[in-house]
Amino acid sequence: MVGYSFMGAVHSHAWRTAPRFFDLPLAPKLTALAGRNAAAAQAAAAKLGWDSVESDWRRLIERDDIDLIDICSPGNTHAEIAIAALEAGKHVLCEKPLTNSVAEAEKMTAVASSAAERGVYSMCGFTYRRTPALALAKRMVDEGRLGDLRHVRAQYLQDWLSDADAPLTWRLDKAKSGSGSLGDIGAHSIDAAQWITGSNITGVSALMETFVKERPIGGDFVGLGGHRGADGPRGPVTVDDAAIFTARFGGKTPDGGDPAIAGGGTTAVGRSTYGGPIGVFEATRFALGRKNAMRLELNGTLGSLAFDFEDMNSLSFYDASDEDAGFRRIIVTEPSHPYVGNWWPTGHGLGYEHGFTHQVVDLVNAIAEDRQPEPSFSDALQVQKVLAAVEASAEAESRWQKV
Ligand code: SOE
């Protein structure tokens, strides 16, 4: 594993925990942790359960006792590490977003697809697909419980930067993170919405804002809670604090064809062809009081679904055929629900870290069965294209009508 901060800690938990709750065909081994600061990496390895430490990630790739590289370092490092690992025949799990530009994402995807032909696989860490309630939402959409989709409403609301003195960290430095709330949390909403609807975003119109232009350099920044920084020098924030955009999804016929936008009609399978849903997206670190509110609502012609990660063990479902019921609350802890059966009895909920454990389970099973894990780098490239389109639209403001 490369990196050992928040993602390093939760990935380590997942590698340790997965084989204890799921029957895996291959046993993950926490062989080596790479970090530039030897003392800090050593302490992290001891705490997180890694057998050895390397101060240079390239050593991990040279070692023949390592089969997979887990990239948990900032986005500006992903391309170089992933490409080197794949070309050396090592599988790769790469944190999201895939990288900081479409060009790099395209290069990574090309290397990944040729590696896959050699049985060397890669996955991008959009873990919200593996939150049981969102996996259930995907199942219900695929079963047609919502009918044709008309609206996607996605928000990812945090508030850890509402404090103007929260210090400058790598997530606020475009050279490291590529963008701010857009790529860090908006990317999760984009991937989840495309995956659950089964339709890719084909166009956007956007607005981005940076409320606080300068922040303290250094300071006692501890995790995302971000204690007040020092009153010393301040440096420029080079990313967005908030991004909002509208989106059009490519429609599709149930057999995956292009929609007959002109007037619809029915396909051989009897479902109407239709233009895809339209979407409204919001990603912000200034929604004071919202701590990790990754929310998704889908409105279809037969029903609606609504999810809020701050109530992550439940999914709200409105079934139009039962209009007296209103939205009902599904407690997503039944053995029949995705992933849940391997954990606790009904009603005993799961947490944020379970999505990461489920990610390890699905990755290890795919590798053992010699098949491409999802989301692939190609799926992550599609997200990267949406991120770039949002930034281009926000900069162009071409659709902006002054009032
Ligand atoms: C910070 O916004 C962050 O840690 C993201 O980087 C993660 O991807 C998200 O799961 C939680 O919030």
Side-chain angles (χ1 to χ4, degrees), residues 108-385:
M108 294 168 80
T109 300
V111 171
S113 58
S114 62
E117 286 161 22
R118 302 193 308 272
V120 178
Y121 292 110
S122 46
M123 179 198 255
C124 187
F126 288 108
T127 50
Y128 287 107
R129 294 181 177 213
R130 297 180 160 99
T131 296
L134 286 178
L136 177 61
K138 165 84 176 160
R139 184 192 293 176
M140 292 173 75
V141 168
D142 287 351
E143 289 167 352
R145 305 283 294 279
L146 272 60
D148 292 340
L149 298 180
R150 297 292 184 240
H151 284 289
V152 173
R153 197 163 297 110
Q155 304 160 327
Y156 199 146
L157 313 176
Q158 295 179 339
D159 69 358
W160 55 283
L161 284 182
S162 301
D163 176 351
D165 289 334
L168 217 48
T169 60
W170 73 265
R171 279 189 171 85
L172 305 178
D173 174 2
K174 188 173 182 64
K176 290 201 171 68
S177 62
S179 64
S181 61
L182 175 63
D184 182 34
I185 49 181
H188 280 299
S189 299
I190 294 164
D191 178 69
Q194 293 184 135
W195 178 64
I196 291 171
T197 62
S199 302
N200 282 341
I201 290 173
T202 57
V204 298
S205 180
L207 179 61
M208 292 167 75
E209 185 59 77
T210 303
F211 301 111
V212 175
K213 313 281 187 198
E214 290 191 330
R215 289 182 176 275
I217 295 171
D220 58 348
F221 184 75
V222 178
L224 295 177
H227 298 293
R228 276 190 178 280
D231 291 338
R234 299 177 91 88
V237 172
T238 52
V239 297
D240 55 290
D241 286 331
I244 54 182
F245 61 97
T246 57
R248 180 175 294 287
F249 289 72
K252 64 176 176 49
T253 52
D255 48 12
D258 290 333
I261 299 278
T266 58
T267 61
V269 293
R271 285 268 307 283
S272 68
T273 61
Y274 60 101
I278 57 176
V280 180
F281 288 75
E282 185 180 3
T284 181
R285 291 154 168 174
F286 278 73
L288 198 55
R290 301 299 181 196
K291 300 307 174 182
N292 198 47
M294 190 272 192
R295 298 171 171 174
L296 190 64
E297 176 161 333
L298 303 174
N299 306 127
T301 51
L302 300 180
S304 291
L305 284 170
F307 171 78
D308 183 341
F309 187 82
E310 291 186 352
D311 178 20
M312 66 164 280
N313 289 287
S314 71
L315 181 65
S316 296
F317 174 46
Y318 179 86
D319 180 344
S321 67
D322 178 3
E323 58 195 18
D324 301 333
F327 272 90
R328 42 189 228 251
R329 184 167 183 250
I330 302 171
I331 309 287
V332 190
T333 57
E334 296 302 315
S336 60
H337 290 149
Y339 304 106
V340 178
N342 284 65
W343 297 100
W344 323 122
T346 59
H348 297 67
L350 303 186
Y352 174 70
E353 74 282 8
H354 289 87
F356 291 82
T357 301
H358 302 156
Q359 174 172 264
V360 163
V361 169
D362 291 344
L363 173 57
V364 169
N365 280 324
I367 289 171
E369 294 161 21
D370 199 19
R371 58 180 167 77
Q372 175 60 49
E374 288 189 357
S376 64
F377 279 13
S378 175
D379 296 327
L381 167 60
Q382 165 61 21
V383 174
Q384 207 76 42
K385 288 178 178 175

Side-chain angles (χ1 to χ4, degrees), residues 61 71 78-88 92 104 107-108 111 377:
I61 291 173
I71 306 173
H78 293 180
E80 185 182 16
I81 300 171
I83 289 169
L86 289 166
E87 289 180 342
V92 171
E104 277 190 343
K107 175 100 171 70
M108 294 168 80
V111 171
F377 279 13

Side-chain angles (χ1 to χ4, degrees), residues 69-93:
I69 305 288
D70 184 6
I71 306 173
C72 292
S73 42
N76 63 309
T77 67
H78 293 180
E80 185 182 16
I81 300 171
I83 289 169
L86 289 166
E87 289 180 342
K90 296 193 190 309
H91 306 294
V92 171
L93 173 56

